[in-house]
Amino acid sequence: MTFNRYRRGLFITSFLAAPVILYLVYVISPNVQAFYIAMTDWRGVSATPAFIGLENFERLLGDNVFWKAVSHNAALLVLLPVITIVIALFFAFLLNVGGRQGVSGIRGSTFYRVVFFFPQVLAVTIVAVLFQQVLRPDASGMLNGPLMALGINPIGFLSDSGLAFWSVLGVLVWQAVGFYVVLFSAGLASIPKEMFEAAQIDGAGRVSMFFRVTLPLLWDTVQVAWVYLGILAMDVFAIVWVMTVQQGGPDWSTTVMAAEIYRNAFGYFRFGYASALGVVMFLFTVGFAILSLRLSRRERIEY
């Protein structure tokens, strides 16, 4: 009996060894190296960078651009999940339970799901270039062109420091909401129709049905969506770098930590300082995920 258990353990270990080794080499090892590089003055060329301890982190505290990037990431951590989840829940509820009978989707819901999901098939850089043209502050812009034709001054969606951040947020929501409409629709499809019918018989309206039936039963899915969107809010480098002017907006109004990591590493060749930024970004992301999972924990509803 013991021998068979030993053979089974050896068999399982032999299969797990290769992926575990690859994970350690290509995931864990680079992260550990990043923590070490963050405490050096490495500029990407010297073989033996000088160890400077926590100087890079002390320098971060006095870097105004860094604090602007942190504030933008923090705002995205709150606004992007909230806005995207609210819109996605609304459309998913409408597509699945918004029909005339109150327990079925509206006509053509399958087509609408495809339309909502369409932005997901576009590469992030394509989305950035597309909206860069849509938001152009001249007559060739899809929004400003009609305004100028009516004699209205063009709006600097990306050139105005007061609007640039909100323009980026709008693009991020537009790109993300379709995926979560489909995700929430899949969750709604797994809820028995009898539960909606019972709520309807009890006199529940659409709003009451949403908050008393739909949202509690979708809470686990919403929790996962919140964490994924929080991680997305920390990783908006491509949109900011490609779409906004000066790769960070006027007066650094759209810059984020990922953009500053790239700028310092490959623009200023301050790899040690960029690694310190990366460590801070890593701690932000992990902290957000842990905090979100703990705060949104609740009793699972069985049905």
Side-chain angles (χ1 to χ4, degrees), residues 87-125:
I87 295 175
L89 279 173
F90 171 77
F91 283 122
F93 184 77
L94 188 67
L95 292 176
N96 290 272
V97 198
R100 291 184 177 180
Q101 302 301 321
V103 294
S104 60
I106 62 175
R107 183 177 299 178
S109 57
T110 302
F111 170 76
Y112 291 126
R113 288 193 193 97
V114 174
V115 172
F116 280 124
F117 191 77
F118 179 72
Q120 294 296 313
V121 305
L122 299 175
V124 177
T125 50

Side-chain angles (χ1 to χ4, degrees), residues 13-289:
T13 303
S14 65
F15 272 92
L16 291 177
V20 168
I21 291 172
L22 289 174
Y23 186 80
L24 290 173
V25 172
Y26 292 107
V27 178
I28 301 299
S29 175
N31 279 281
V32 173
Q33 291 179 49
F35 277 84
Y36 169 73
I37 294 171
M39 293 185 286
T40 69
D41 64 350
W42 190 44
R43 298 185 62 84
V45 290
S46 58
T48 55
F51 184 82
I52 59 174
L54 300 177
E55 285 186 23
N56 284 325
F57 295 97
E58 293 173 0
R59 184 178 174 185
L60 283 176
L61 297 177
D63 189 340
N64 291 330
V65 176
F66 164 73
W67 286 112
K68 284 190 175 184
V70 170
S71 67
H72 296 149
N73 276 119
L76 289 173
L77 277 174
V78 176
L79 296 174
L80 181 60
V82 170
I83 297 173
T84 303
I85 289 174
V86 168
I87 295 175
L89 279 173
F90 171 77
F91 283 122
F93 184 77
L94 188 67
L95 292 176
N96 290 272
V97 198
R100 291 184 177 180
Q101 302 301 321
V103 294
S104 60
I106 62 175
R107 183 177 299 178
S109 57
T110 302
F111 170 76
Y112 291 126
R113 288 193 193 97
V114 174
V115 172
F116 280 124
F117 191 77
F118 179 72
Q120 294 296 313
V121 305
L122 299 175
V124 177
T125 50
I126 293 176
V127 172
V129 172
L130 172 67
F131 275 93
Q132 189 181 50
Q133 300 305 311
V134 169
L135 302 175
R136 284 177 64 93
D138 52 37
S140 62
M142 290 183 63
L143 293 182
N144 279 312
L147 292 178
M148 295 179 69
L150 295 172
I152 302 173
N153 291 330
I155 301 172
F157 292 103
L158 298 176
S159 58
D160 187 335
S161 59
L163 294 176
F165 174 80
W166 300 104
S167 300
V168 170
L169 176 61
V171 173
L172 291 171
V173 171
W174 178 87
Q175 184 191 22
V177 74
F179 174 81
Y180 293 97
V181 168
V182 175
L183 178 67
F184 294 147
S185 294
L188 281 165
S190 67
I191 300 175
K193 295 293 183 184
E194 292 79 7
M195 302 196 72
F196 295 109
E197 293 171 353
Q200 194 175 42
I201 292 171
D202 289 339
R206 296 291 176 85
V207 176
S208 179
M209 190 183 297
F210 175 80
F211 285 103
R212 294 178 179 272
V213 179
T214 305
L215 189 57
L217 295 178
L218 276 181
W219 188 254
D220 288 345
T221 308
V222 171
Q223 183 184 36
V224 172
W226 186 279
V227 174
Y228 281 177
L229 284 164
I231 294 173
L232 174 63
M234 298 298 297
D235 185 27
V236 293
F237 165 76
I239 291 288
V240 170
W241 197 262
V242 176
M243 191 177 79
T244 61
V245 296
Q246 300 173 355
Q247 288 82 39
D251 195 26
W252 309 111
S253 57
T254 62
T255 193
V256 290
M257 283 192 280
E260 292 310 309
I261 291 172
Y262 184 89
R263 195 189 318 276
N264 279 279
F266 301 103
Y268 307 144
F269 297 100
R270 299 189 298 218
F271 283 84
Y273 189 67
S275 293
L277 279 163
V279 170
V280 173
M281 183 175 169
F282 169 78
L283 295 177
F284 261 81
T285 306
V286 173
F288 170 81

